[in-house]
Amino acid sequence: MITLGSGLTDSQGHRKLSPVSPLLSAVSVLPAIIGFALAIFLPSGFSFTQNFPALRPFVAGVLVIGLASLALSIFVALFQILGWRAFSFWIDQDGDLRVRSGVLIRNERRVQLSRIQAVDVVQPLVARIFSMAVLVVEVAGQKDSRVTFRFLSLTDATEIRQTLLNLAAGTQTESTDTDSPVLFRLPSRDLALGLLLRTSTVLLFTATIAILIFSYVIEGWAGITFALVTGGVPILIVIVEFITFYGFTVYDSPDGLRLRYGLLKTENRTVPEGRVQAIDFIEPWLWRSHSWTRVAINIAGVGSSSQGSSGKNKETLLLPVATRSVADSIVARVLPNIDIAEIDWKVAPNRASKRSPIQWRNLAMGWSANSFAARRGRITRHLMIIPHARTQSVHITQGPWERALNLASLHVDTTPGPVSVVALHLDVDEAREALYGQAGRVNQGGGI
Amino acid sequence: MNTDSAFYSNDDWIPVSEKLISARRLVVVLVAIPVIGIVIALWLIPAVPSFIAWIVAALGLVSFIWLWWLIGRRVRSYAYCERESDLLVTSGILFRRLVIVPYGRMQLVDVTAGPIDRAFGVTTVQIHTAAATTDAAIPGLVPEVAAAVRDRLAKRGESRAAGL
């Protein structure tokens, strides 16, 4: 039997999570527990003081809240211990991962290793203090398709991760973080500047300044609350994203690209080779002087609708900010054989300006022997690429306004994710020809 | 300007059953009943001026006639075509659409029929791929035809399955 990691095992030889997990889980929810205790016991804390006038109200309050929090934490920890006792995982005879869990309702899950999309090691703040980590296994599927191992020691988690990836890939290559070559490291300055120069940030800041001037001229400082919102939101977004993507580094590894980032919570993500379905180069207006680009990707089974929008963003981002040449070289590793230079672009006709007056100049589509590409957007430019072999279906649509102008839009359907490949407002005959041509290329493209 | 040619081709397009028109029109009739009830209620309540009831009745009648006509056109706009290696589905009048699904990319084929559809003897065949945006549904197929289409598609899909 294949062993997973080097941690605790039970009598059947099944792996257990780290024994400090219940405690860590309890500590993780401590802020919530204290908040709860404050809300429930603050009134009774005061009446307590009345019975013991010798104690000063503040001391009594702290004492009551502290005791209540402690009791609740112990309760949570006890509950977590039960969960910990019931949780075990192992590799079965067929070479698949089995996970057993559940106190009241027993649940045994079998994860087909060939279906694994990604194995991530995540370190939340509390876990990092104790050098513990959370292992997240992503499996292809729409709903409830991830298995979370909360918590394992960091070395154990990395070992298990490597074992699972090796088993999934059918290889036995040993690799550790230390010997993986760094392909790209994002300087903090570029990250901060890139986030500040995003179109939405700049627009909101401009709006803030306009509101401030306007409200000062018209009626003193009455508009200040509105300005606080328009000015505060982008600042908050920039800070949050800066913390999330701080120290963004791309490593080469045998099973794909490894991404590592985060200031408070270090995330380790692997973008498996051959799992990328479609790609989008996003270039905001003010990034163009640096020839910077953001790269979003669709990965099968990752970032589907069942996950929150914030998680969706993070898990489907290949690069937050990078120069175009760096982006191209990194994209080439996850999606080889796409030759953007080879593509013969077919642009939207001039009459498309009556449908999309701003972006029509950048509307175009094209294809090469093995991928389809489309461009759209004027202020924020998009360049979307999808290999024929990853194309699920193709369709054209035509709204009434497009019909009047004899235009149609060509959509190349991909798995759910941030990238949707669409060539807008093309000449009808060209769109139709491309549609049938694309269907032929998809059929020839064969399997994924 | 006639752009119909963009959404059809010389292939053998099969229209869906006209029974779907009756099924969908029945839904409109069922919706119309509470509207008639509202109009009568407005008419009977003395506090409401009678012209309001008239306006509501007129709006209801106009939308009823419009929907009646629209359903006929919309159902006739549905057509599908099974080619050698892919399936074509076209639909829509105002917003036209033509989707091509290669057999190799089909993940599953659903055959569904609601109570009204069943009463009129029509079913919907829905083709799913790994993409949520594919949306290739053929409504208004006679159950025997739907079952035959499903079986053919499943067979073709199997022989060309590409997976993910």
Side-chain angles (χ1 to χ4, degrees), chain A residues 22-248:
Chain A
L23 198 65
L24 266 180
S25 303
V27 173
S28 305
V29 293
L30 204 57
I33 286 175
I34 291 173
F36 181 74
L38 271 173
I40 300 293
F41 292 103
L42 203 57
S44 56
F46 280 119
S47 57
F48 182 76
T49 339
Q50 284 162 359
N51 299 336
F52 298 90
L55 285 170
R56 284 158 69 193
F58 177 74
V59 178
V62 168
L63 207 67
V64 169
I65 301 298
L67 280 174
S69 305
L70 189 70
L72 277 169
S73 305
I74 290 170
F75 183 73
V76 170
L78 282 175
F79 209 75
Q80 294 286 343
I81 286 171
L82 289 177
W84 177 83
R85 278 168 55 100
F87 196 101
S88 64
F89 55 101
W90 67 98
I91 299 286
D92 68 7
Q93 280 90 343
D94 301 333
D96 287 332
L97 175 66
R98 297 259 192 146
V99 182
R100 187 179 285 171
S101 63
V103 180
L104 291 177
I105 301 159
R106 299 288 261 153
N107 178 23
E108 195 173 308
R109 222 165 150 181
R110 181 174 162 164
V111 180
Q112 225 175 314
L113 283 178
S114 58
R115 285 278 170 186
I116 286 184
Q117 297 289 331
V119 186
D120 300 337
V121 174
V122 187
Q123 279 192 289
L125 185 60
V126 179
R128 192 138 62 133
I129 296 169
F130 301 96
S131 78
M132 302 297 276
V134 180
L135 188 74
V136 184
V137 178
E138 295 276 2
V139 194
Q142 291 297 317
K143 228 186 281 173
D144 192 25
S145 63
R146 53 166 60 171
V147 188
T148 312
F149 302 87
R150 194 181 305 266
F151 294 90
L152 295 158
S153 80
L154 184 59
T155 46
D156 196 20
T158 2
E159 262 178 62
I160 293 173
R161 180 180 168 284
Q162 196 53 52
T163 314
L164 289 179
L165 285 173
N166 285 345
L167 285 172
T171 57
Q172 287 302 316
T173 44
E174 271 301 315
S175 88
T176 51
D177 283 349
T178 44
D179 65 346
S180 327
V182 173
L183 294 174
F184 170 64
R185 196 179 298 257
L186 177 61
S188 312
R189 196 189 127 269
D190 286 8
L191 177 63
L193 198 62
L195 292 171
L196 285 172
L197 290 180
R198 275 222 304 239
T199 314
S200 57
T201 321
V202 172
L203 278 179
L204 281 168
F205 271 132
T206 320
T208 311
I209 291 164
I211 288 164
L212 285 177
I213 293 169
F214 188 73
S215 63
Y216 179 72
V217 171
I218 301 294
E219 46 181 338
W221 293 106
I224 194 97
T225 44
F226 196 58
L228 274 178
V229 176
T230 56
V233 167
I235 290 173
L236 210 66
I237 291 172
V238 166
I239 290 173
V240 166
E241 294 226 347
F242 184 79
I243 289 170
T244 310
F245 293 116
Y246 178 83
F248 194 96

Side-chain angles (χ1 to χ4, degrees), chain B residues 122-146:
Chain B
V122 287
T123 48
T124 301
V125 172
Q126 169 105 46
I127 294 101
H128 296 272
T129 68
T133 48
T134 298
D135 191 27
I138 318 169
L141 293 179
V142 182
E144 298 83 62
V145 177

